Amino acid sequence: MSDNPRHVHPIYDLFPIEIDGFESLAELALDLRSSWNHATDEVWRRLDAELWEITQNPWVVLQTVSRQRIEHVLGDAAFRAKVDRLVEMRRQTAEQPAWFQQTHSESPPLTCAAYFSMEFMLSEALPIYSGGLGNVAGDQLKAASDLGVPVVGVGLLYQQGYFRQSIDNAGHQQALYPYNDPGQLPIRPLRDADGEWLRLKIELPGYAVWLRAWQVRVGRVKLYLLDSNDAANFPAHRGITSELYGGGHELRLRQELILGIGGWRLLAELGITPEVCHLNEGHAAFAVLERALQFMDASGQPFEVALAVTRAGNLFTTHTAVAAGFDRFAPALIEQHLRRYAEQKLGISLHDLMALGRLNPNDESEPFNMALLAIRGSGSVNGVSRLHGQVSRRIFEPLFPQWPADEVPVGHVTNGVHVPSWDSAAADDVWTQMCGKDRWLGTSETLECDICRVSDEKLWQFRVDATHRLVDYARKRLSRQLASAGSSSEEVEAAKHLFDPNLLTLGFARRFATYKRPNLLLHDPDRLLRLLSDPERPVQLVIAGKAHPADRAGQDLIRQWIDFIRHPIARQHVIFISDYDMLLAEQLVQGADVWINTPRRPWEASGTSGMKVLVNGGINLSELDGWWAEAYTPEVGWAIGDGNEHGDDPAWDAVEAAQLYSVLENDVVPEFYQRNEQGIPTQWMARMRASMSQLTPQFSAVRTVREYTQQHYLPAAIAYHHRAAYNGAGGTSIVNWEHSLREKWASLKFGEVRLQSSENEHTVEVDIYLDGLDPNFVRVEWYADPLNGEDAVRQEMLRTEPRESATENWATYHTSVTATRPASDFTPRIIPKHANVAVPLELDLIRWQR
């Protein structure tokens, strides 16, 4: 992948570049590495401390301060030297070999992986995110930068982004949509050598839409964004990229066409040719079609071969835990927007296009499912936690009829968080002292034992200071919130004195949706009040979160909390901070003693908010769902639930609410307040230390991106190169192989099964009628279902010389298995066999003897 694509922005032509040193400041301000490497913070604080504190946006600071101020600070020799050192360090970091270069220097097949996502949470300076999906995308780009993995991001630039939240005096959520002024964002337009802005034209039904292209620097990684707010477009079309997750189905479809088709075309315009296309959720699945089209244009191959070639390099990561959560579009909408593309570009019928997104290709009324397109266009599929992998296999089981549930081809790579983005400065100091500065660069394997060497005294003081900082922040933010809502001066002043930094502080912040049960703690308000106001062991609770503007039920959950907080006792112990954003999230995960999460199992695919507290010494109390289902052990935190699924049963909600109160009353609160002679809660410290040491490395984005690289990106790149070689000869061979199997499959049948059993083993022979099919195209197995928690038995049967009495087109297979299970548990089956094809993902044929 070239680091200098054909289209680049030459320099900052609208800014005072004649000021010596300005270009260095601009280079630092436009690199979002500053969002996790805080070495440059003092630079922006020196330019305008108040503006920096409010915005945390270096680019805004640099544009807002006067020329005289810039000249003045750059005239300070020490300041200028600091800036020059930071620029030099930035460039050295970008050039020096990182984990990928050190570990996979002999892996030339992977030069670029393109990471497509509807949203990216990178910095509050670039508000183009909603929540969890963007959090994962942003953290993985940052980790890829740290690790040196050759990744480029592709997304959309929203004029308004996701909504901002305010709470009125009645407790109702109000949605606000401030404009994202591109000039105030740390992005640059992509221009060619002549200064012309790179613009793409994408055909929509009856008209063309012009797309502008932007570049974001994320350390070593570049993120490319497209937007439709081009002056050449009709006003309605300029607003296609106006909101994230706003509007109706047609607007969403147009956004996803721009992301998938426009995004892949943008990479081609830039001269970037990724071997791997990583679809972060199904929103970008149209990239599957455009990638195949570009291979068709380059090779002259038909769509079927092009898809067989390119899908090997595509990876689909699903984050959805319920089938209803996938984007579905009415057939008429797909026909309106994609018929011409299918027939004139791809050379396939509308029916064949629709079949890629349908469970039943012949059901003309079935909507087009983006997740199904992503699956059928990918060589690998994964969920985002171990439990979510199981849930996803169940969701997608109808795609693989007759296949056992545990063989539905969905694996998992558990999410992780980019630790340097979420640790406090104090946490960074503690980890640096114990584990070194390179601990999150993929090269340290001793983090668990290293962090355990911190003394209880130091670790406890670190936590005490963290809670103090959270309380100070919460007071300031809540007082501003109340003032903006028109509250009385007395209420605003009282907010500046709420909370006690020495009390046990619980954090609860996430999207307010019914399945997340944000009001489980409110199930018994009187019991909660008693818990909070215990005179000997009081507790305080910080809450934040948004409900989608169309989610009335979620908004009602917010109002219930606001009503509860108005109780004279509750208002001293509970606060709701509005407009949950990245800056607030940082403060909460750094300062909360305990992080609470209460989703209905198994509807939380992974969850990442609780991972962010780990590095900061916070402890999790969560439902056994998502990542916590694989992270929890009794020594690292607390759990509720029984590890089973109960749907949305109100009776079970009541059971788990009682569990939550009980764990808080009997375990969490007593452990926090039980102190030794030095005032340190020793049992609490042991739990904190176990959580920090065992879980922080395990649930970091470094581990996640390394897994993606080694388990997916590298194999996918090799597979793609193999299929694409010699003008797609490998893909052509696979298509011919598939045609042969489909032609003969219905005629395959089982003959006589001859079984001999002894005390130690079962020996079996089976005759198979192949109807002239090449025996090397199939694999015959002796199969038994999973039993008592053990894996299924899939013993390959070997082909033997046919018996003398066998007729033409018959083959005989045999094998032996140990007699640990009765022979009646077993049956022979036939599945497709190809060394370079993922079965059943790419071909779902299977034939059972019974």
Side-chain angles (χ1 to χ4, degrees), residues 66 106 126 134 160 249 326-327 369 421 429 433 444 476 750:
S66 67
E106 302 303 317
L126 186 61
Q160 296 172 323
H249 290 290
F326 297 116
D327 280 348
N369 187 321
S421 291
D429 289 342
Q433 183 178 348
S444 175
K476 292 176 184 176
F750 294 90

Side-chain angles (χ1 to χ4, degrees), residues 567-584:
H567 188 285
I569 296 176
R571 70 175 46 154
Q572 303 301 315
H573 297 270
V574 186
I575 60 175
F576 186 101
I577 303 180
S578 65
D579 201 28
Y580 184 38
D581 60 9
M582 196 171 177
L583 295 179
L584 175 56

Side-chain angles (χ1 to χ4, degrees), residues 295-356:
F295 187 82
M296 291 169 64
D297 292 341
S299 67
Q301 295 282 9
F303 175 76
E304 186 178 25
V305 172
L307 183 62
V309 169
T310 55
R311 71 176 298 169
N314 297 336
L315 165 65
F316 170 43
T317 296
T318 171
H319 297 252
T320 305
V322 290
F326 297 116
D327 280 348
R328 290 176 167 87
F329 298 110
L333 263 184
I334 297 295
E335 178 177 5
Q336 178 187 1
H337 287 79
L338 285 162
R339 175 189 281 275
R340 179 180 298 180
Y341 181 80
E343 294 175 349
Q344 298 183 9
K345 298 285 189 180
L346 302 178
I348 61 175
S349 67
L350 178 65
H351 175 273
D352 288 345
L353 173 65
M354 294 296 298
L356 292 171

Side-chain angles (χ1 to χ4, degrees), residues 530-771:
R530 292 194 299 273
L531 171 72
L532 295 168
S533 60
D534 185 310
E536 300 297 323
R537 302 180 304 192
V539 178
Q540 53 201 18
L541 171 62
V542 185
I543 304 171
K546 298 177 180 179
H548 190 279
D551 183 0
R552 299 302 178 192
Q555 293 175 46
D556 188 57
L557 296 176
I558 293 175
R559 186 188 54 75
Q560 291 174 30
W561 269 113
I562 301 300
D563 288 346
F564 175 78
I565 292 170
R566 291 195 171 111
H567 188 285
I569 296 176
R571 70 175 46 154
Q572 303 301 315
H573 297 270
V574 186
I575 60 175
F576 186 101
I577 303 180
S578 65
D579 201 28
Y580 184 38
D581 60 9
M582 196 171 177
L583 295 179
L584 175 56
E586 288 175 14
Q587 297 292 330
L588 292 176
V589 300
Q590 291 170 8
D593 294 308
V594 176
W595 196 259
I596 296 178
N597 191 20
T598 55
R600 287 195 177 98
R601 178 179 168 123
W603 295 349
E604 179 101 297
S606 172
T608 54
S609 61
M611 298 177 186
K612 297 166 190 167
V613 306
L614 301 172
V615 68
N616 296 296
I619 305 175
N620 281 272
L621 163 54
S622 178
E623 174 76 29
L624 287 169
D625 194 14
W627 77 281
W628 193 239
E630 63 192 86
Y632 170 72
T633 56
E635 69 268 19
V636 299
W638 301 275
I640 61 171
D642 62 358
N644 296 309
E645 299 173 22
H646 300 274
D648 55 1
D649 180 5
W652 186 253
D653 287 350
V655 169
E656 292 200 334
Q659 281 186 3
L660 182 57
Y661 293 132
S662 179
V663 170
L664 286 167
E665 293 163 347
N666 301 321
D667 299 319
V668 178
V669 175
E671 191 171 296
F672 181 83
Y673 284 105
Q674 186 175 345
R675 310 292 172 88
N676 66 10
E677 294 177 354
Q678 289 75 42
I680 297 173
T682 53
Q683 189 175 349
W684 186 276
M685 298 310 299
R687 190 181 302 274
M688 183 196 308
R689 196 186 306 277
S691 171
M692 292 179 75
S693 63
Q694 296 176 32
L695 301 186
T696 308
Q698 183 181 354
F699 295 97
S700 77
V702 164
R703 189 267 311 150
T704 301
V705 172
R706 284 175 61 168
E707 285 190 19
Y708 274 123
T709 302
Q710 294 170 325
Q711 298 176 16
H712 293 283
Y713 293 173
L714 288 168
I718 292 169
Y720 167 71
H721 281 297
H722 175 80
R723 295 190 187 189
Y726 304 108
N727 229 31
T732 302
S733 172
I734 288 170
V735 167
N736 292 336
W737 167 82
E738 180 178 338
H739 284 173
S740 297
L741 281 165
R742 290 196 181 279
E743 180 184 345
K744 297 289 188 180
W745 200 258
S747 60
L748 302 188
K749 60 184 178 182
F750 294 90
E752 182 184 357
V753 178
R754 296 173 292 282
L755 176 68
Q756 290 184 335
S757 294
S758 67
E759 183 177 345
N760 298 319
E761 69 175 7
H762 306 300
T763 301
V764 63
E765 278 190 346
V766 59
D767 296 331
I768 305 288
Y769 179 70
L770 295 174
D771 194 21

Side-chain angles (χ1 to χ4, degrees), residues 363-380:
D363 182 355
E364 298 296 327
S365 65
E366 183 180 340
F368 187 89
N369 187 321
M370 294 295 285
L372 301 191
L373 172 61
I375 289 174
R376 292 191 172 115
S378 295
S380 186

Side-chain angles (χ1 to χ4, degrees), residues 176-488:
L176 310 172
Y177 293 91
Y179 174 61
N180 281 342
D181 180 0
Q184 298 281 292
L185 305 177
I187 62 178
R188 303 306 298 146
L190 283 166
R191 301 183 187 272
D192 64 20
D194 295 328
E196 182 179 352
W197 199 334
L198 171 57
R199 297 158 73 234
L200 300 176
K201 187 164 74 169
I202 182 170
E203 299 291 336
L204 290 176
Y207 56 88
V209 172
W210 286 96
L211 306 174
R212 306 185 300 181
W214 307 80
Q215 176 182 284
V216 185
R217 280 205 168 269
V218 188
R220 300 170 188 256
V221 168
K222 293 175 183 174
L223 167 63
Y224 297 107
L225 302 174
L226 289 169
D227 88 294
S228 65
N229 191 23
D230 189 287
N233 291 330
F234 288 112
H237 305 151
R238 295 183 69 168
I240 292 175
T241 56
S242 59
E243 291 178 38
L244 171 61
Y245 304 139
H249 290 290
E250 185 168 8
L251 180 63
R252 176 70 70 88
L253 175 60
R254 291 173 177 176
Q255 287 184 343
E256 296 185 5
L257 287 167
I258 289 174
L259 176 61
I261 294 177
W264 196 264
R265 286 184 190 173
L266 174 62
L267 296 178
E269 282 290 318
L270 294 172
I272 298 173
T273 55
E275 294 89 3
V276 176
C277 176
H278 188 166
L279 305 173
N280 189 43
E281 209 26 280
H283 307 122
F286 289 128
V288 165
L289 304 179
E290 184 65 18
R291 184 178 192 184
L293 175 60
Q294 290 186 16
F295 187 82
M296 291 169 64
D297 292 341
S299 67
Q301 295 282 9
F303 175 76
E304 186 178 25
V305 172
L307 183 62
V309 169
T310 55
R311 71 176 298 169
N314 297 336
L315 165 65
F316 170 43
T317 296
T318 171
H319 297 252
T320 305
V322 290
F326 297 116
D327 280 348
R328 290 176 167 87
F329 298 110
L333 263 184
I334 297 295
E335 178 177 5
Q336 178 187 1
H337 287 79
L338 285 162
R339 175 189 281 275
R340 179 180 298 180
Y341 181 80
E343 294 175 349
Q344 298 183 9
K345 298 285 189 180
L346 302 178
I348 61 175
S349 67
L350 178 65
H351 175 273
D352 288 345
L353 173 65
M354 294 296 298
L356 292 171
R358 281 175 168 162
L359 188 61
N360 179 358
N362 297 314
D363 182 355
E364 298 296 327
S365 65
E366 183 180 340
F368 187 89
N369 187 321
M370 294 295 285
L372 301 191
L373 172 61
I375 289 174
R376 292 191 172 115
S378 295
S380 186
V381 181
N382 73 279
V384 290
S385 69
R386 184 171 59 204
L387 177 58
H388 183 236
Q390 298 169 10
V391 171
S392 298
R393 286 190 285 276
R394 191 165 66 223
I395 291 174
F396 295 126
E397 194 172 357
L399 271 176
F400 304 94
Q402 301 186 59
W403 281 84
D406 64 328
E407 292 185 78
V408 172
V410 182
H412 78 275
V413 176
T414 301
N415 285 340
V417 296
H418 185 249
V419 178
S421 291
W422 301 104
D423 63 355
S424 66
D428 180 66
D429 289 342
V430 169
W431 284 85
T432 299
Q433 183 178 348
M434 293 297 111
C435 308
K437 293 187 69 65
D438 296 337
R439 62 194 175 279
W440 308 122
L441 300 182
T443 55
S444 175
E445 307 295 342
T446 62
L447 294 180
E448 181 172 337
C449 58
D450 289 342
I451 197 64
C452 285
R453 295 186 287 111
V454 186
S455 68
D456 276 2
E457 292 77 12
K458 182 170 184 173
L459 209 54
W460 179 239
Q461 188 59 52
F462 152 67
R463 280 304 312 156
V464 169
D465 294 343
T467 309
H468 274 76
R469 286 191 298 273
L470 173 58
V471 168
D472 288 344
Y473 177 86
R475 288 169 173 172
K476 292 176 184 176
R477 183 144 173 172
L478 182 62
S479 62
R480 290 201 305 268
Q481 172 183 323
L482 292 173
S484 67
S487 299
S488 68

